[in-house]
Amino acid sequence: MDFDALFTKQIDALKEEGNYRIFAELERKCGQFPRADNHHEGRKREITVWCSNDYLGMGQHPDVVRAMVETAESCGTGAGGTRNISGTNHHHLVLERELADLHNKESALLFSSGYVSNWAALSTLGSRLPGAVILSDALNHASMIEGIRHSRAEKVIWQHNDPEDLDRKLAAIPAHRPKIVAFESVYSMDGDIAPIREIVEVAEKHGAMTYIDEVHAVGMYGPRGGGVAEREGLMDRITLIEGTLGKAFGTFGGYITGSAALCDFIRSFASGFIFTTALPPAVAAAATASIRHLKTSEFERLRQRRQVAKLRAHLERIGIPHLPNPSHIIPVMIKDPVKCRMISDMLMEDWGIYVQPINYPTVPKGTERLRITPSPLHTDDDIAYLVEALSELWSHCAMARQVA
């Protein structure tokens, strides 16, 4: 059997639909974010990145870089194994204490990524709690969906950000069964924010535990960067808070926080923790430095919000359609996969602007978009240049503009 032919057939179908993904070859330049070098067809040129999840540029903050370099020089590169055998390092424990403090929880547990932390925690909770039912928001991330599926627990999907629908569905479940309400704070593609207080109140009414994914919110919201739950004063009422180190904190890895018993339970039974190599100590040290900085510095968050508001105002002025939301994510709507790819390519080739197209299956067909994430390090001139480029390409591609 010609397996390569089977692979190629499906890849060709993706290309015909406009959903085939091409990765730009980038080289980040330390200390110059959002500038990067783009390697393409044997040449290299400087471009400006507008779609990074390093939301605050902390991946190049001097304190964070210094912590990683110094720890690599003192501890070496890798962790040496899984946490269970030979890989637990002092820097892991320091970081876990820092994360527990960030979320005002008793304990924290590190994972190799935010995807793995969701997958491992939800699959372990669903499989190890007898008779558990997991109630999942309709727009939860793929990592949460995979974790729930792997748990083989009963799953109930409730309408996105709808506490009333959640209430109805919780009421239909027998009181004796363990119930887990899983949702996100900031949804990464539309940029909308969950009504956390209302969701928590419904869950408490039915004796359910709450599981919140704050990966797009940690570092970004709250007086110390603890996320939307911190901003709303709700951290103490949420059973498990999950987050990432790879976005606003600018490093790599994922984590959960909660009670000491909860974190020990996941540590003891989650295959995604037990059987994977631990984070390099240098990464853990860099993440600790980033978290400590953002616990006390509001500069990055305030500057970032200013630049988001400025870009939104410019887009509204020239009629470029973008989804309104209260977060830092600006989805510029194209609604066509071929045009989305084309505009992304033209921005890169003609303007030196990198914004990766977001197509199916990341978003539903017909909702294709450019997902723009301004940082505190994008200048006003960067914003003006991006707006000029989008305006010209909108006219070039005969795209409809929004009427104010």
Side-chain angles (χ1 to χ4, degrees):
M1 181 174 286
D2 187 349
F3 286 101
D4 278 353
L6 297 176
F7 303 149
T8 302
K9 182 179 179 181
Q10 294 194 41
I11 291 170
D12 288 344
L14 275 180
K15 291 178 178 178
E16 290 174 10
E17 295 168 358
N19 290 322
Y20 182 71
R21 301 177 185 215
I22 299 169
F23 298 150
E25 184 179 346
L26 302 181
E27 185 177 354
R28 285 159 62 95
K29 299 161 70 171
C30 189
Q32 298 181 51
F33 185 80
R35 312 288 176 241
D37 285 332
N38 171 224
H39 296 261
H40 183 63
E41 295 181 347
R43 64 190 179 101
K44 181 174 76 170
R45 62 168 180 161
E46 185 178 87
I47 55 93
T48 302
V49 178
W50 276 98
C51 55
S52 176
N53 281 346
D54 186 357
Y55 293 133
L56 301 176
M58 291 301 295
Q60 298 182 34
H61 191 283
D63 292 350
V64 178
V65 174
R66 188 180 308 111
M68 180 174 281
V69 171
E70 290 177 354
T71 307
E73 288 176 343
S74 64
C75 294
T77 54
T82 67
R83 291 279 296 274
N84 291 276
I85 297 176
S86 59
T88 294
N89 185 278
H90 171 68
H91 292 284
H92 296 136
L93 301 177
V94 171
L95 175 54
E96 286 174 340
R97 288 194 291 269
E98 201 71 43
L99 289 164
D101 174 77
L102 176 67
H103 295 292
N104 196 29
K105 296 295 185 186
E106 290 180 341
S107 189
L109 187 67
L110 289 172
F111 291 86
S112 54
S113 72
Y115 191 104
V116 173
S117 56
N118 267 333
W119 179 87
L122 282 167
S123 64
T124 302
L125 289 167
S127 64
R128 300 291 306 190
L129 296 177
V133 182
I134 303 179
L135 296 100
S136 177
D137 184 284
L139 295 187
N140 274 344
H141 189 263
S143 58
M144 302 175 79
I145 295 169
E146 286 295 327
I148 296 167
R149 181 181 295 127
H150 185 76
S151 76
R152 298 186 179 179
E154 181 181 345
K155 177 178 69 174
V156 174
I157 297 175
W158 47 286
Q159 294 174 22
H160 177 56
N161 280 351
D162 187 342
E164 292 182 0
D165 187 53
L166 174 62
D167 189 22
R168 286 190 293 269
K169 293 190 168 156
L170 278 167
I173 300 169
H176 71 276
R177 297 185 66 180
K179 295 171 280 292
I180 304 163
V181 174
F183 63 105
E184 302 180 40
S185 59
V186 178
Y187 288 82
S188 63
M189 289 299 116
D190 288 352
D192 53 333
I193 295 178
I196 300 175
R197 184 176 301 277
E198 291 86 346
I199 292 169
V200 168
E201 288 172 352
V202 168
E204 289 173 344
K205 172 184 170 183
H206 295 278
M209 73 172 283
T210 42
Y211 181 115
I212 189 170
D213 173 323
E214 288 252 45
V215 297
H216 292 276
V218 291
M220 303 295 294
Y221 302 91
R224 299 199 310 157
V228 181
E230 183 195 24
R231 185 187 72 181
E232 303 298 322
L234 294 167
M235 291 194 299
D236 61 315
R237 295 173 65 182
I238 296 172
T239 315
L240 185 154
I241 298 175
E242 184 266 351
T244 185
L245 306 169
K247 294 182 170 60
F249 293 130
T251 59
F252 186 76
Y255 64 88
I256 62 167
T257 64
S259 69
L262 170 59
C263 291
D264 196 25
F265 175 79
I266 301 298
R267 183 190 69 86
S268 299
F269 293 109
S271 61
F273 176 85
I274 295 169
F275 297 107
T276 193
T277 299
L279 287 178
V283 172
T288 301
S290 182
I291 294 164
R292 285 176 177 169
H293 176 84
L294 290 175
K295 279 180 177 178
T296 59
S297 175
E298 280 285 333
F299 172 80
E300 291 83 4
R301 287 188 283 272
L302 293 175
R303 168 78 180 177
Q304 195 263 357
R305 289 168 199 160
R306 174 185 179 276
Q307 299 308 83
V308 168
K310 182 165 286 190
L311 178 54
R312 282 193 181 278
H314 282 301
L315 293 176
E316 288 168 9
R317 177 177 54 80
I318 63 171
I320 300 295
H322 59 285
L323 289 183
N325 64 53
S327 77
H328 57 282
I329 296 165
I330 303 178
V332 171
M333 304 306 291
I334 311 294
K335 300 184 179 181
D336 178 278
V338 175
K339 285 186 177 180
C340 198
R341 175 81 262 174
M342 179 175 65
I343 290 174
S344 172
D345 288 345
M346 294 172 76
L347 282 169
M348 179 71 101
E349 293 165 12
D350 301 337
W351 296 83
I353 291 171
Y354 175 56
V355 187
Q356 185 75 349
I358 306 294
N359 291 346
Y360 179 83
T362 305
V363 295
K365 292 180 180 180
T367 68
E368 293 80 10
R369 67 200 62 188
L370 302 176
R371 179 183 178 274
I372 298 175
T373 53
S375 80
L377 300 175
H378 286 95
T379 67
D380 291 352
D381 287 343
D382 290 333
I383 291 174
Y385 186 68
L386 172 64
V387 170
E388 179 188 358
L390 287 172
S391 185
E392 288 207 15
L393 291 178
W394 231 254
S395 298
H396 177 80
C397 297
M399 300 280 287
R401 296 185 187 242
Q402 284 181 333
V403 179

